């Protein structure tokens, strides 16, 4: 089977960039990206894309209008496609059974029902959203029960491993493409059809095929292992601070052991992003459901250390500022969950800022890409009065304006531009003693010291 027309449900951080890359690399395949959010689709069709991602503009403009289209006409797009990627959100359930851990699959289910309703002929459905193991069989059951036209379906799992901020490089040159399918004749044919899409630009030996359940589970496990490395080094950061060791030196020393490797050992105020916490909680819930409480507990610790790291950072600020931040101006540099993205989902900045607000601090926030509306929406919390947020949060478009008359600077995202700030000027602008809390260990430590700052750097002993 040769794929001529692809449709993608969900024009988010995953669906948008991934489909743009497929369209750019496969000019003969028509790629239509759909979303129920009209504003999002309008943005994808404009010069101001909804996702900030280095290199994305060029990829989108190379194919948009040629074989790449963005639309809210979901039904027509499904009907016209041979292959349908499902990239809708799968947030953590906030209610009922499994609340706080299980994945909320309502968008996946409604996508499956819609596909069944409008499809004719043969369709390949590809799960790209991260989902619990066995979701493919749920999708199949829903479709089989709802399809009236005699259409036939294959369901594949093809998890996306791109990281935000480096999505284009990751898509262009992936470590691997993983495709899971049923080991039947028609399952194998569907897997081969999807392999041939990626084979336009990915070497064959980087495309691996497995059974459905291995593929679904591998995505959760990959994210759990990556996050585990960060929680491991973050737990050691506390010990470094207590002993006078330097966590970057420790990371370098252990990372040169080729069995350990150097990546993902950067200590931080905590990991964020839409995937790590959600996927680990999902894994924990799966383990519990399968009667494996010890395994669940083991992985849950990765999230617990991450929460502890964020609280520890706030406690350090409050303690250092003479046990009170009430009414004190604290400049927050960085709100995105990592550099080179405008995404703030599960960003450690959210918890740090909320905790500081609960202490009645005055926050002056600067981030180069996140829009003020998103910051205000993220900070809203049922435990913090809206009036406190209105009176105690300022959002700036210039870091120096945020730092004027501040008691402290807290760096929470590793944006490159923060390293190059004029620290002499900042020292002049701030109240004295001028405190710096570097939650990413990125600011130039020697310069801070030379300029007379009182600096705390995560994972660095005194
Ligand atoms: C999402 C999931 O969070 C992640 O687990 C999964 O691996 C891929 O999909 P992301 O693309 O970052 O990741 O999410 P988001 O930016 O929220 O995009 C999802 C899009 O789907 C939104 O634009 C939303 O409007 C759209 N959507 C959602 C639909 O079009 N229809 C629906 O029924 C639900
Ligand atoms: C992650 C996975 O890397 C990707 O493969 C998967 O598809 C989705 O989830 P993403 O969340 O976009 O990608 O970004 P990632 O680069 O993994 O960073 C996640 C968080 O960990 C960020 O807050 C980042 O700042 C933090 N981090 C990362 C550290 O604190 N230390 C590190 O050494 C690496």
């Amino acid at each position: 089977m040769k794929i001529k027309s692809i449709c993608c449900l969900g024009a988010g951080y995953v669906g948008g960039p991934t489909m743009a890359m497929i369209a750019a690399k496969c000019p003969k395949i028509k790629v239509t990206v759909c979303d129920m959010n009209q504003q999002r689709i309008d943005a994808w069709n404009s010069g101001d894309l909804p996702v900030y991602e280095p290199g994305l503009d060029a990829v989108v403009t190379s194919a948009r209008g040629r074989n790449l289209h963005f639309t809210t006409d979901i039904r027509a797009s499904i009907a016209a496609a041979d292959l349908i990627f499902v990239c809708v959100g799968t947030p953590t359930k906030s209610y009922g059974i499994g609340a706080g851990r299980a994945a909320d699959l309502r968008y996946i289910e409604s996508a499956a029902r819609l596909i069944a309703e409008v499809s004719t002929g043969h369709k390949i459905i590809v799960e790209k959203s991260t989902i619990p193991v066995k979701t493919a069989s749920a999708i199949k059951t829903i479709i089989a029960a709802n399809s009236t036209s005699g259409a036939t379906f294959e369901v594949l799992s093809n998890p996306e491993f791109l990281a935000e901020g480096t999505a284009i490089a990751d898509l262009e040159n992936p470590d691997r493409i993983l495709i899971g399918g049923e080991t039947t004749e028609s399952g194998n044919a569907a897997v081969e059809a999807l392999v041939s899409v990626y084979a336009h630009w990915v070497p064959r030996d980087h495309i691996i095929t497995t059974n459905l359940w291995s593929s679904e589970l591998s995505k959760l496990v990959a994210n759990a292992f990556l996050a585990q490395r960060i929680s491991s080094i973050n737990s050691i950061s506390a010990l470094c601070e207590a002993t006078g060791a330097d966590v970057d030196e420790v990371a370098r020393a252990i990372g040169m052991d080729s069995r350990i490797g150097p990546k993902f050992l950067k200590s931080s105020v905590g990991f964020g992003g839409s995937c790590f916490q959600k996927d680990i909680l999902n894994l924990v819930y799966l383990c519990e459901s399968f009667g494996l409480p010890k395994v669940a507990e083991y992985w849950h610790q990765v999230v617990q250390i991450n929460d502890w790291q964020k609280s520890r950072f706030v406690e350090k600020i409050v303690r250092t500022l003479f046990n009170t931040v009430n009414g004190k101006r604290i400049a927050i540099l960085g709100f995105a969950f990592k550099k080179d993205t405008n995404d703030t989902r599960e960003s450690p900045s959210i918890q740090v800022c909320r905790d500081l607000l609960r202490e009645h601090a005055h926050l002056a926030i600067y981030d180069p890409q996140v829009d003020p509306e998103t910051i205000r929406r993220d900070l809203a919390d049922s435990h913090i009065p809206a009036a406190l947020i209105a009176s105690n949060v300022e959002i700036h478009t210039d870091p120096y304006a945020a730092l004027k008359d501040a008691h402290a600077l807290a760096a929470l995202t590793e944006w490159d531009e923060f390293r190059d700030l004029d620290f002499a000027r900042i020292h002049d602008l701030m109240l004295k003693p001028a405190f710096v809390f570097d939650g990413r260990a990125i600011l130039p430590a020697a310069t801070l010291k030379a300029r007379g700052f009182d600096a705390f750097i995560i994972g660095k002993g005194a």
Side-chain angles (χ1 to χ4, degrees), residues 160-164 219 223 226 230 234 263-268 270-276 337-338 348 414 440:
E160 185 50 67
F161 293 104
L162 69 80
E164 287 172 34
K219 171 68 195 231
N223 277 344
L226 288 169
I230 304 170
N234 281 347
K263 295 181 181 166
F264 265 67
L265 288 177
K266 181 73 187 148
S267 174
S268 66
F271 59 74
S274 71
C275 288
F276 282 173
F337 83 96
K338 64 188 282 198
E414 68 278 29
R440 295 284 182 169

Side-chain angles (χ1 to χ4, degrees), residues 222-232 264 271 276 280 302:
N223 277 344
F225 270 65
L226 288 169
Q228 183 191 43
R229 283 174 69 93
I230 304 170
S231 278
S232 297
F264 265 67
F271 59 74
F276 282 173
I280 294 169
V302 174

Side-chain angles (χ1 to χ4, degrees), residues 10 12-14 35-36 40 87-90 107 129-130 278 345:
Y13 285 88
V14 173
D35 204 292
M36 58 187 186
R40 231 182 199 187
C87 293
V88 297
T90 48
Y107 303 124
S129 304
T130 307
K278 176 180 74 137
R345 287 177 291 178

Side-chain angles (χ1 to χ4, degrees), residues 157-267:
S157 157
N158 170 222
E160 185 50 67
F161 293 104
L162 69 80
E164 287 172 34
T166 54
I168 296 306
D170 295 346
L171 286 165
E172 180 111 45
N173 201 5
D175 283 352
R176 80 309 206 177
I177 295 289
L178 175 59
I179 302 173
E182 270 197 304
T183 44
T184 56
E185 201 180 317
S186 119
N188 290 338
V191 168
E192 271 317 304
L194 184 55
V195 167
S196 65
V197 172
Y198 286 108
H200 279 82
W201 80 99
V202 180
R204 283 269 174 162
D205 59 353
H206 286 213
I207 307 177
I208 50 180
T209 59
T210 65
N211 79 31
L212 269 172
W213 323 128
S214 305
S215 174
E216 290 182 337
L217 187 59
S218 295
K219 171 68 195 231
L220 295 184
V221 174
N223 277 344
F225 270 65
L226 288 169
Q228 183 191 43
R229 283 174 69 93
I230 304 170
S231 278
S232 297
I233 201 71
N234 281 347
S235 73
I236 299 303
S237 73
L239 190 57
C240 287
E241 289 159 25
T243 55
D246 176 328
V247 77
D248 284 337
E249 291 177 355
V250 173
R252 180 155 178 262
I254 65 166
M256 279 178 76
D257 183 325
S258 60
R259 294 167 302 176
I260 298 174
K263 295 181 181 166
F264 265 67
L265 288 177
K266 181 73 187 148
S267 174

Side-chain angles (χ1 to χ4, degrees), residues 124-171:
I124 302 174
I125 300 165
V126 184
E127 307 168 337
K128 211 168 233 323
S129 304
T130 307
I131 26 76
V133 184
K134 295 284 183 187
T135 302
S137 65
I139 294 181
K140 272 194 178 158
T141 309
I142 292 166
I143 291 181
N146 288 281
S147 175
T148 48
S149 63
T152 53
F153 300 93
E154 269 308 317
V155 180
L156 303 179
S157 157
N158 170 222
E160 185 50 67
F161 293 104
L162 69 80
E164 287 172 34
T166 54
I168 296 306
D170 295 346
L171 286 165

